[in-house]
Amino acid sequence: MTVDFVRIPVDADAMSIATVVSCVSPEWAQRDPHRAMQVHIECEVGVCVTKSVAHQMLREQGKLVPDSGRVR
């Protein structure tokens, strides 16, 4: 089965799917950081491991430049 933002094995059960897109899936965030950021739009960097890894990957790739006017 292919979902728009992540590839899921055809025989995957609900628990496997939940693990892939969970907030503790840094491997997926490294492979597809843009999609991880989209899926975890409601999460916070520094709280959600997946979003934090994706954010760092995009910064390292020069694809994300934090707003200099924002304070974290």
Side-chain angles (χ1 to χ4, degrees):
M1 166 175 34
T2 299
V3 180
D4 185 40
F5 48 83
V6 67
R7 296 196 187 287
I8 306 289
V10 175
D11 60 346
D13 60 6
M15 191 61 152
S16 298
I17 295 168
T19 300
V20 168
V21 296
S22 74
C23 288
V24 291
S25 185
E27 298 83 15
W28 173 54
Q30 289 175 335
R31 284 193 315 270
D32 197 351
H34 187 126
R35 296 274 189 219
M37 292 288 281
Q38 290 175 329
V39 171
H40 291 266
I41 196 164
E42 297 294 326
C43 296
E44 293 182 35
V45 173
V47 175
C48 171
V49 174
T50 300
K51 187 163 186 171
S52 297
V53 169
H55 185 269
Q56 185 61 37
M57 295 295 296
L58 292 172
R59 282 187 72 178
E60 289 174 5
Q61 295 170 2
K63 295 180 179 178
L64 182 144
V65 181
D67 184 352
S68 62
R70 289 195 181 194
V71 178
R72 284 197 164 258

